[in-house]
Amino acid sequence: MKLIITPVLALACASSCLAGEALTAKQLQSFPKNLARQHLQANLLIFDAAAKNYIATEAAAAWLDDDVATGWPAMAGRQNYLLQFANSQVVSNFSVLSAPFEGSITIYSSDEVKPPGDPSWRVIAKDIPAASINQKKLAKSFNRQAKFILVETNIANPAPIFSFYAYGTRAAANDAIQPRATALDVQAVFGDFVNHQTSFNVASIYGGAKATYGNGSASQLDWQKALDENPESAAVLKSGTDSSLVVNLGEGRTVSRMSLLSDKEAKGKVDVYLLAEAPAAGHPVALDGVKPSVTLTFDGSNSHVSADFEDTTAVAMALRWTPETADNSLALREINAFANLSLSDYEVAPLPAAVGEAPIAATDAVEEEAGKGVDGKTILPIGDGKETADFKGGGKSIKEAMPPAVGAGPESGYFPGGLGFPPNFVFPRESPRERRSSP
């Protein structure tokens, strides 16, 4: 039975807790949507030189999901990965999130599928060091209309890659997680390599979430950098007895997994408090003496942390950073929260109308009376805050489910929260079909 405690939370709000600027809808539109995601029906294939065709790859389930803690290594040597969009897109930049590895990457674009080396592939960036786009965008942006991106990797000792990022003109604030009008035949689109559990990050701008308080900056725009699908940017969290960051999810979400991305050197813990009601914007939440729903620990050797827990319905979350060394801040680069939304039944699609120009609920919505709006908030603690060994419904421990990566070592194995593949654990799978050739 789930334990629920209902303390009366006092909000200590002085003038210093108010943001120095109001966040407008136009500013929110400055955050681009990552196009390299299965929830937009993007797919990933690998070129099979023997078959002379593109075939399905396990990497799709890790590189195109929305979890910064699920990884899969690129194959060694010279390989060609085809990133396919559902429709032709304007693409202006590209990056990856990976454990450190040496090698080079060449990126091409096209509106038709051709084998590697075909002259129809237009070069975007040639033989660039992998490190130059690991957790950072290309130094020089480009502007291409394309349905296909070919990523040629040349890597001797592969390490796990956690995500692909392709950015264009599409704004994350103009999208939303929506039920599909008709259920999608997921296998027909993606093959076997899909993980429903980590496909939709509900703590994201496209998911309707907004950071409504942060103690590391007076800028509300800075607070959103933990929700922006960009591992290069970060919201700064400082320590204290009150919340360091507050995120309003926009609606009640039944969350069962969280992942965080910071820097490898970070040491300390992030206590997460799942809230049944959203605090007033611009206010911290007083958390002294309150038991966290779950705690995630950065140990100084891993930039990714994650935890799986019981389904818990929350409207908002408060995060509190406690460093191992006093006064050290945390650069929180990404917050992921997952709510068991199936790719079969949900999609990310444009809102009926683009986000307007009016200021959104932030400083303008702060109650003049300090503490108003949060009395009696329900904190929902989850067990003892322990991470579970098996991924939701998987039935296998992480060690059992995942073979060692090539050249596995402190910088290259699977990080906490990594999945065994094919990781289609949450929803029943049909019998595997034959691998499909590219369209």
Side-chain angles (χ1 to χ4, degrees):
M1 182 175 179
K2 196 173 295 178
L3 174 65
I4 298 179
I5 55 176
T6 57
V8 175
L9 299 182
L11 290 185
C13 182
S15 59
S16 61
C17 81
L18 302 181
E21 61 183 54
L23 179 65
T24 66
K26 184 175 181 179
Q27 287 176 307
L28 197 61
Q29 285 183 317
S30 67
F31 296 107
K33 178 75 187 74
N34 180 16
L35 305 175
R37 286 291 176 259
Q38 287 182 330
H39 59 229
L40 291 177
Q41 293 193 33
N43 201 5
L44 186 74
L45 306 169
I46 188 171
F47 188 73
D48 186 326
K52 298 188 184 325
N53 205 354
Y54 294 95
I55 62 174
T57 171
E58 295 92 332
W63 300 357
L64 303 188
D65 76 348
D66 226 349
D67 193 333
V68 294
T70 56
W72 189 261
M75 292 183 65
R78 193 174 293 276
Q79 305 292 335
N80 289 276
Y81 291 93
L82 182 73
L83 176 61
Q84 171 185 306
F85 303 123
N87 301 293
S88 185
Q89 301 280 350
V90 175
V91 183
S92 59
N93 220 311
F94 186 86
S95 68
V96 301
L97 174 63
S98 175
F101 64 90
E102 294 184 359
S104 64
I105 292 177
T106 299
I107 306 170
Y108 307 86
S109 67
S110 179
D111 277 324
E112 55 184 339
V113 178
K114 295 292 183 180
D118 188 273
S120 65
W121 289 110
R122 295 183 295 166
V123 176
I124 292 172
K126 188 171 179 60
D127 292 330
I128 58 174
S132 69
I133 58 168
N134 186 3
Q135 205 168 320
K136 61 186 92 169
K137 297 177 184 178
L138 285 164
K140 185 177 181 180
S141 62
F142 56 95
N143 193 42
R144 295 280 179 86
Q145 183 88 23
K147 187 175 180 181
F148 304 97
I149 301 292
L150 186 66
V151 182
E152 180 187 275
T153 59
N154 189 6
I155 303 168
N157 297 303
I161 294 174
F162 299 95
S163 278
F164 269 13
Y165 299 90
Y167 302 105
T169 58
R170 186 167 178 162
N174 291 339
D175 278 349
I177 300 172
Q178 303 176 32
R180 295 185 186 276
T182 304
L184 178 71
D185 182 349
V186 174
Q187 280 193 321
V189 177
F190 302 112
D192 290 329
F193 306 117
V194 171
N195 183 22
H196 296 270
Q197 173 72 11
T198 57
S199 294
F200 299 90
N201 175 21
V202 298
S204 64
I205 293 172
Y206 78 80
K210 293 183 181 69
T212 60
Y213 170 79
N215 67 359
S217 170
S219 168
Q220 295 177 35
L221 199 64
D222 285 348
W223 304 345
Q224 314 311 316
K225 292 178 180 177
L227 316 178
D228 65 354
E229 297 186 279
N230 180 4
E232 187 175 1
S233 64
V236 176
L237 275 60
K238 294 183 178 179
S239 60
T241 56
D242 295 341
S243 59
S244 304
L245 187 75
V246 178
V247 177
N248 187 334
L249 299 178
E251 61 180 275
R253 301 285 194 180
T254 303
V255 181
S256 60
R257 175 175 172 81
M258 286 193 67
S259 299
L260 304 179
L261 176 69
S262 182
D263 297 322
K264 175 187 166 186
E265 299 77 13
K267 286 187 177 182
K269 65 179 182 178
V270 176
D271 292 321
V272 180
Y273 301 80
L274 299 176
L275 309 176
E277 296 182 51
H283 290 262
V285 177
L287 300 171
D288 193 26
V290 180
K291 182 179 179 181
S293 300
V294 65
T295 297
L296 299 102
T297 302
F298 289 96
D299 63 6
S301 66
N302 190 348
S303 60
H304 311 70
V305 293
S306 62
D308 304 304
F309 41 81
E310 292 182 30
D311 289 350
T312 305
T313 301
V315 174
M317 61 178 70
L319 285 71
R320 181 174 62 186
W321 164 243
T322 304
E324 187 174 295
T325 302
D327 299 327
N328 281 358
S329 59
L330 178 74
L332 186 55
R333 301 190 176 277
E334 288 294 300
I335 301 173
N336 301 158
F338 302 103
N340 268 349
L341 301 176
S342 167
L343 274 169
S344 302
D345 302 319
Y346 290 86
E347 64 181 342
V348 173
L351 290 164
V355 175
E357 298 293 322
I360 63 173
T363 303
D364 297 350
V366 174
E367 301 288 350
E368 293 181 2
E369 182 182 349
K372 184 177 179 181
V374 190
D375 285 353
K377 292 298 179 285
T378 303
I379 302 294
L380 307 178
I382 301 162
D384 296 322
K386 296 179 180 178
E387 295 187 21
T388 57
D390 70 313
F391 193 79
K392 190 82 175 166
K396 291 185 179 181
S397 70
I398 290 173
K399 289 182 179 179
E400 292 173 330
M402 294 182 297
V406 176
E411 298 300 326
S412 60
Y414 291 89
F415 292 108
L419 306 181
F421 288 92
N424 199 348
F425 292 148
V426 180
F427 299 89
R429 283 173 43 187
E430 301 173 18
S431 299
R433 301 176 181 177
E434 293 183 2
R435 286 178 167 175
R436 296 172 176 264
S437 60
S438 59

